[in-house]
Amino acid sequence: MKWVLSHINPIQGNENPTFDDMKYAIDIDEKWFYLNPDKRRLYLLPSEEDPYMAQQSRRFKLKAMFMAIIKKPLYGRNGELLHDGKYGIFPFTQKERAKKSSKNRPGGTMVTKPLQNVNREAIRDMLINKVIPAVVEKWLESLPKNVVIQWDNARPHQIPRDEEFIAATQAHGFNIEFVFQPAQSPDLNVLDLGLFRSIQSLQYQSFPKNVDELVEKVIEYYNNFKPEVKKYIWVTLQSCMIKILKAKGGNKYKIPHMNKKKLENLGILPNQIEVDRSIVLEAVEYLNTMFRPAPQGNHEAETEDTEVDAD
């Protein structure tokens, strides 16, 4: 609830407040993309052969982890697109020489292998060599260079802030800060709210046969993701934040649907959603009640007297 309230503009008079524009915040997250789903449903003509694809084991499905970077798209006063908010999606893979020959390639050929243990060192290397350079390269010059990158507080994200890392975040006049979302809050990251599922669905339709094709298709569908669709995810994010306040910080709610495409066609899709001021005030009062300090002094004395009388 504190996280949500920190993204709401102050209440002015009797008006309903709005969420801040979040145009300086970048969301990053990781996801495993599998080569194929567990099951597929295909419709075939009587003359068509059944498709066949073999895998070595169901227990060890071929997969690769990707780190995606995304930001709210920016538009000019006349509605022209200034920045699509895409900074890249990067796979955790490495090149190795094949130890043995096979029908697909001779021994010694360089092959792509996914990293199966994405630990703190791998995350740190990805941030320094891929994520931060991509942000510096594609950041709009008209925007201040104070950048907030938010992600969840998974244990591998607790990387050390050594001199090399700090220097990377402050290079070229930037001040890049990493902040952590509250624990167990997937609905507060726009990547979990839409982008990852969309890429995964399209990637399954492409039938990749190896890691190289998997990487190629995931990057292709990330690049083809439409900015106007990505804009909808931020509206959904703000709607989820309101639901979280109503649920007193819980997750017992359904992700709201607003017919955003229809609202945009009518020209009434909001960029910043209004929040009923009563919801905000109730949330603040609830937090004040939860964290109000217990009475001291006379209360302890009365408790001790009661215990003595009972004995």
Side-chain angles (χ1 to χ4, degrees):
M1 293 180 71
K2 289 182 177 180
W3 174 273
V4 173
L5 291 173
S6 69
H7 289 79
I8 297 178
N9 294 317
I11 297 177
Q12 302 291 339
N14 295 324
E15 299 179 355
N16 292 327
T18 60
F19 286 95
D20 59 38
D21 54 22
M22 304 180 186
K23 63 182 180 181
Y24 302 132
I26 293 177
D27 284 16
I28 64 173
D29 202 3
E30 307 91 46
K31 176 176 172 54
W32 287 105
F33 284 91
Y34 291 84
L35 195 68
N36 287 292
D38 292 330
K39 296 181 180 179
R40 289 182 185 270
R41 175 173 292 182
L42 301 174
Y43 296 92
L44 304 174
L45 295 173
S47 59
E48 291 182 297
E49 294 184 2
D50 292 342
Y52 174 77
M53 181 177 291
Q55 61 181 13
Q56 187 173 6
S57 172
R58 285 190 175 184
R59 293 182 57 192
F60 302 100
K61 296 176 62 178
L62 190 59
K63 61 182 180 179
M65 179 174 282
F66 291 74
M67 176 176 283
I69 322 168
I70 196 173
K71 181 181 176 296
K72 186 177 181 180
L74 297 179
Y75 293 86
R77 295 181 179 179
N78 299 323
E80 70 277 13
L81 181 65
L82 301 178
H83 195 282
D84 60 4
K86 297 176 185 176
Y87 291 88
I89 184 168
F90 306 104
F92 288 90
T93 58
Q94 59 186 5
K95 292 287 186 177
E96 296 181 357
R97 292 191 179 276
K99 297 180 180 179
K100 298 180 180 180
S101 299
S102 69
K103 64 179 181 180
N104 297 321
R105 51 12 182 203
T109 304
M110 298 298 294
V111 294
T112 305
K113 294 287 186 180
L115 292 179
Q116 299 300 324
N117 182 23
V118 182
N119 52 25
R120 293 182 184 179
E121 289 72 20
I123 295 288
R124 181 182 181 278
D125 181 72
M126 178 66 73
L127 292 176
I128 292 179
N129 296 313
K130 297 291 182 64
V131 174
I132 295 177
V135 172
V136 171
E137 178 185 356
K138 298 182 180 181
W139 189 259
L140 279 181
E141 295 183 359
S142 59
L143 294 178
K145 294 186 176 182
N146 296 318
V147 184
V148 175
I149 298 180
Q150 67 175 37
W151 55 358
D152 58 51
N153 57 358
R155 188 170 298 176
H157 295 169
Q158 309 294 331
I159 57 178
R161 302 296 198 267
D162 53 24
E163 293 183 2
E164 181 184 8
F165 187 85
I166 295 175
T169 60
Q170 296 179 355
H172 307 286
F174 278 83
N175 180 25
I176 300 176
E177 179 186 4
F178 288 83
V179 298
F180 298 101
Q181 299 167 201
Q184 301 177 349
S185 56
D187 292 342
L188 293 178
N189 191 305
V190 293
L191 290 162
D192 293 320
L193 283 175
L195 180 63
F196 279 153
R197 281 179 289 181
S198 175
I199 295 176
Q200 181 82 87
S201 177
L202 293 171
Q203 174 254 310
Y204 280 159
Q205 297 175 25
S206 64
F207 291 88
K209 294 182 175 59
N210 51 50
V211 177
D212 287 317
E213 291 187 12
L214 173 63
V215 171
E216 178 186 349
K217 292 301 179 182
V218 169
I219 294 176
E220 176 186 346
Y221 294 130
Y222 171 88
N223 292 331
N224 291 339
F225 197 73
K226 297 180 180 179
E228 58 268 22
V229 177
K230 189 152 58 67
K231 180 177 62 176
Y232 300 159
I233 308 177
W234 264 266
V235 178
T236 302
L237 171 65
Q238 297 174 31
S239 301
C240 287
M241 287 182 168
I242 296 176
K243 292 286 187 179
I244 290 173
L245 292 182
K246 291 182 178 180
K248 300 295 187 293
N251 59 359
K252 190 178 179 180
Y253 63 86
K254 295 182 179 180
I255 295 179
H257 298 280
M258 301 171 53
N259 293 322
K260 294 179 282 292
K261 180 63 176 177
K262 180 180 179 180
L263 294 178
E264 185 176 39
N265 292 336
L266 295 174
I268 57 175
L269 179 67
N271 184 42
Q272 297 164 253
I273 294 182
E274 283 192 357
V275 190
D276 194 307
R277 66 192 308 271
S278 62
I279 297 176
V280 177
L281 295 176
E282 288 176 7
V284 173
E285 178 59 27
Y286 176 77
L287 290 175
N288 289 337
T289 303
M290 290 290 294
F291 297 99
R292 186 170 295 157
Q296 301 294 328
N298 294 336
H299 177 73
E300 294 180 355
E302 292 175 1
T303 303
E304 294 175 359
D305 292 341
T306 303
E307 292 176 353
V308 170
D309 294 339
D311 293 338

